[in-house]
Amino acid sequence: MEENKIQNSKATVRTPIIVGTTLALGILIGATFFGGRRPAGDVSRSSSKFREILSYINRSYVDSVNTDSLVDYSITKMLEKLDPHTYYFPPQDAELARSQLESGFDGIGIEFNVFNDTVYVVTPLAGGPSEAVGIQSGDAIIKANDNNLTGKEASSTNIFANLRGKRGSVAKLEIKRKGFKDLLKFSVTRDKIPQYAIDAAYLMSDKKTGYLKINRFTETTYDEFKEHMANLQKQGMKQLLLDLRGNPGGYMDKATDIVDELVAGKGVIVYTDGKDSRNNRKSHAHIDGMFEKGPIVVLVDEGSASASEIVSGALQDYDRALVVGRRTFGKGLVQQPIQLSDGSELRLTISRYYIPSGRGIQKPYVKGHLENYDHELDDRGKSGEYFVADSIKNNPKMRFKTMGGRTVYGGGGVTPDIFVPRDTSHITKYLMELYGRNIIREYAMSYANENSKNLSKQSFDSYLKDFTVSDAMLNDMNRRLNQTGVTYTAKEFADSKDFIKSQLKAAIARHIWHRSVKNGLNNEYYQIIYQDDPMIETAIKSFVKAEKLERERKL
């Protein structure tokens, strides 16, 4: 597969430029891209004016003023005049933002949930420091190092500030546990806590389809991908269902590495174009991939962005995969993260990226008027796009061709080959109350803890086949919701009942079988909730077309 096999007109395709290791969302390209194209004097004069005003405010303003907050506010408002993805993180948020893309962080090793302004342990991570000292699912963390974590103090910022910390440091926790009158005290020595990018990787019931769900493209995504793909191939995988729904992106080089494992030849995977030519790079396929033969279906939706769009769009451009779902988000801008001296971080847009056919996937925006951009996904709903394929308004001026001559569009995300509408038949106000008050998750946690001995005795396959969420369980759960002041609505409950049962069964399974898992996979959970998923069902049926696409690609 050579890059010159994709033919688009010179007016359509921008001159290819050289692309290398980048990030999408916080896209890392390097540290020496700012050579001062604008005369330094202009910047100096502008900044001098700002410093002068700030100095007058600090010295003479009638009231006391926090100048740091004024500076942060000024920076934020200034960046609103640029694009939607140039962003400033103040020091207290920067470390948390960076940790989302790292391989792990230092902390106490729990998955938690905030319910009724209280931090509850969903599960202590297997092999982590909290599990080692005896912290259990359902424990409520009341204090950490004498700092309250309840009520107004149960904010994400405060929780992370108290539970995360340097490896080897100690978090002294005060915990409320069901059945104990007094608070229990634990000293947890923080350690490195791994983060996983792949939520599920298992062979489906047909024994030939490998299902793999990537939640974002982090430092470890590519290594996790190779490990799980190798295991699936050992189990007999013949075709791949790659789920990128809700994946917001991450490191671009991890996305291109995965594409390289799936496409043959030396073709272009992605290239970038920026004002500074040093930001222009090109990335080619260059290795013998582990799954270059065999049909692929990729699932996407409006939550699939950035690096997810590179993977789905590149595979579509090379006719290597059939894309199923709904139009993706449409983020085609590249950011460079710049750490500032006070610990804050600027993510500055430095280029646009383009996938193999030459199309850019960035949706339109107007500088300084970002409110319309923020509401674009809502506008899709109002126009009916989530429910009717014909409601997708592709720009006819952004028409491109795949290697096999199929028509694709740029300028607004990746449009799927096969559209699947949203299923809202089960969405009711009552269901939203259950979610909003975390009743399903909280009930599943307590049920799993109370019945763990009996449930753990059986295999997951047996649980999947035989376990049924009873009406008594549903009634008990509904009573918990009613106690929060929500009135039971019989019709709404009936409309959501099957969905609630599936979610509850999956959440219980996750508590029971995830406790012994150390690779981050939630296979049991996803095997249950996706049993009746319309997009999964459509994807399975689409492998016939995916096989045809592969045959035609080889001709």
Side-chain angles (χ1 to χ4, degrees):
M1 180 185 299
E2 300 296 329
E3 60 180 288
N4 59 10
K5 289 185 179 179
I6 295 185
Q7 299 292 335
N8 287 295
S9 69
K10 292 182 180 179
T12 302
V13 182
R14 306 186 66 168
T15 305
I17 330 168
I18 300 189
V19 156
T21 301
T22 55
L23 281 174
L25 289 182
I27 299 181
L28 179 62
I29 297 190
T32 57
F33 291 107
F34 304 96
R37 296 300 178 103
R38 181 182 177 186
D42 291 353
V43 176
S44 178
R45 283 193 296 271
S46 299
S47 60
S48 293
K49 183 190 300 183
F50 181 78
R51 287 196 302 270
E52 187 176 5
I53 291 173
L54 195 64
S55 178
Y56 275 115
I57 292 172
N58 186 51
R59 183 173 63 247
S60 303
Y61 184 68
V62 64
D63 297 320
S64 296
V65 174
N66 184 331
T67 54
D68 286 342
S69 65
L70 283 181
V71 171
D72 286 350
Y73 178 79
S74 301
I75 294 172
T76 299
K77 299 304 288 185
M78 174 180 66
L79 298 183
E80 288 178 3
K81 295 296 183 182
L82 304 178
D83 66 275
H85 298 290
T86 290
Y87 199 79
Y88 168 75
F89 292 97
Q92 64 269 26
D93 298 331
E95 183 177 356
L96 180 59
R98 287 192 293 269
S99 73
Q100 301 304 309
L101 295 175
E102 294 173 352
S103 60
F105 56 90
D106 292 346
I108 67 170
I110 62 166
E111 181 179 336
F112 70 88
N113 194 20
V114 178
F115 177 69
N116 286 342
D117 295 327
T118 302
V119 181
Y120 284 93
V121 177
V122 174
T123 184
L125 300 183
S130 288
E131 183 188 56
V133 300
I135 290 176
Q136 300 176 5
S137 298
D139 284 348
I141 303 177
I142 307 302
K143 288 186 177 182
N145 293 328
D146 295 324
N147 297 313
N148 286 324
L149 291 183
T150 60
K152 294 181 180 179
E153 304 302 320
S155 66
S156 296
T157 301
N158 194 37
I159 294 168
F160 283 117
N162 282 283
L163 300 186
R164 292 189 178 184
K166 269 191 174 182
R167 200 177 318 178
S169 63
V170 176
K172 295 182 178 179
L173 307 182
E174 295 184 35
I175 282 176
K176 176 63 177 176
R177 179 174 295 171
K178 188 175 181 179
F180 290 81
K181 181 180 179 181
D182 298 324
L183 296 180
L184 304 179
K185 296 184 178 182
F186 294 88
S187 292
V188 184
T189 302
R190 297 182 180 95
D191 201 351
K192 176 69 176 291
I193 309 300
Q195 291 194 112
Y196 297 99
I198 294 182
D199 287 331
Y202 57 85
L203 202 63
M204 301 186 76
S205 58
D206 62 6
K207 302 304 179 185
K208 66 176 181 179
T209 305
Y211 173 81
L212 196 147
K213 181 176 179 62
I214 304 176
N215 62 54
R216 65 180 60 230
F217 292 89
T218 70
E219 290 178 346
T220 64
T221 302
Y222 180 49
D223 291 335
E224 291 180 50
F225 176 84
K226 290 189 293 182
E227 176 187 350
H228 296 312
M229 282 290 289
N231 289 335
L232 289 172
Q233 288 176 311
K234 287 179 182 177
Q235 296 175 53
M237 179 185 73
K238 303 300 181 185
Q239 55 193 31
L240 174 64
L241 178 53
L242 182 60
D243 194 342
L244 300 179
R245 289 178 291 177
N247 184 321
Y251 292 111
M252 185 187 288
D253 65 317
K254 307 307 178 186
T256 57
D257 285 344
I258 287 174
V259 173
D260 201 0
E261 294 288 353
L262 303 175
V263 298
K266 308 296 180 183
V268 173
I269 296 174
V270 69
Y271 62 89
T272 59
D273 179 14
K275 179 174 67 177
D276 190 330
S277 61
R278 287 171 293 182
N279 297 338
N280 300 339
R281 302 283 195 275
K282 182 188 291 184
S283 177
H284 286 89
H286 63 280
I287 64 172
D288 292 329
M290 63 194 309
F291 194 70
E292 293 181 349
K293 297 179 181 179
I296 301 173
V297 172
V298 180
L299 299 182
V300 297
D301 62 11
E302 56 280 356
S304 308
S306 204
S308 296
E309 295 171 298
I310 291 173
V311 173
S312 56
L315 293 176
Q316 186 182 52
D317 280 353
Y318 279 122
D319 298 299
R320 181 66 188 93
L322 204 65
V323 178
V324 173
R326 294 184 293 276
R327 183 163 64 99
T328 62
F329 182 86
K331 181 185 181 296
L333 299 174
V334 179
Q335 282 74 48
Q336 178 189 13
I338 304 167
Q339 288 189 335
L340 305 179
S341 58
D342 66 344
S344 56
E345 180 173 293
L346 172 66
R347 291 189 181 177
L348 183 68
T349 297
I350 56 174
S351 61
R352 293 178 173 84
Y353 67 75
Y354 301 85
I355 50 180
S357 62
R359 55 179 167 149
I361 52 85
Q362 176 61 46
K363 61 187 178 184
Y365 64 89
V366 178
K367 292 179 180 179
H369 297 278
L370 304 185
E371 61 278 358
N372 293 333
Y373 188 87
D374 292 338
H375 295 133
E376 193 271 336
L377 292 183
D378 292 334
D379 293 338
R380 294 189 195 184
K382 294 175 183 177
S383 70
E385 180 176 328
Y386 295 138
F387 306 100
V388 181
D390 291 343
S391 296
I392 301 175
K393 305 300 181 185
N394 288 311
N395 187 343
K397 295 181 180 179
M398 295 285 185
R399 185 182 289 111
F400 296 81
K401 295 292 184 181
T402 69
M403 183 181 70
R406 296 186 301 146
T407 298
V408 289
Y409 293 90
V414 175
T415 299
D417 302 303
I418 299 176
F419 175 80
V420 181
R422 275 186 179 177
D423 178 15
T424 59
S425 59
H426 61 279
I427 303 296
T428 63
K429 182 180 178 181
Y430 194 74
L431 178 65
M432 293 300 99
E433 292 285 5
L434 284 170
Y435 274 130
R437 298 168 190 266
N438 287 322
I439 298 294
I440 294 177
R441 197 170 185 178
E442 190 267 344
Y443 181 81
M445 180 174 61
S446 61
Y447 184 90
N449 287 336
E450 292 169 5
N451 297 274
S452 61
K453 289 184 179 180
N454 289 331
L455 291 172
S456 299
K457 290 177 182 178
Q458 60 182 310
S459 67
F460 171 71
D461 289 339
S462 175
Y463 176 89
L464 179 63
K465 178 182 178 182
D466 300 328
F467 183 85
T468 301
V469 173
S470 68
D471 287 340
M473 293 170 64
L474 293 174
N475 290 337
D476 190 12
M477 185 185 66
N478 286 331
R479 277 194 295 272
R480 297 189 184 205
L481 181 60
N482 292 341
Q483 289 171 1
T484 68
V486 176
T487 303
Y488 174 81
T489 306
K491 183 183 184 308
E492 291 187 356
F493 177 71
D495 290 341
S496 302
K497 183 176 180 179
D498 289 343
F499 182 80
I500 293 171
K501 290 174 67 174
S502 175
Q503 292 289 309
L504 193 53
K505 180 176 179 177
I508 293 170
R510 186 172 182 273
H511 280 287
I512 297 300
W513 281 277
H514 187 61
R515 290 171 176 169
S516 60
V517 173
K518 296 185 179 181
N519 59 7
L521 296 181
N522 290 298
N523 288 342
E524 294 80 13
Y525 176 82
Y526 287 102
Q527 286 181 75
I528 294 172
I529 65 169
Y530 286 160
Q531 280 185 314
D532 300 310
D533 185 292
M535 204 176 285
I536 296 285
E537 293 175 356
T538 301
I540 296 300
K541 295 176 183 176
S542 300
F543 273 108
V544 174
K545 292 184 178 179
E547 289 176 357
K548 181 181 178 183
L549 187 67
E550 184 177 31
R551 287 196 301 271
E552 292 174 347
R553 181 173 55 86
K554 293 177 180 178
L555 295 178

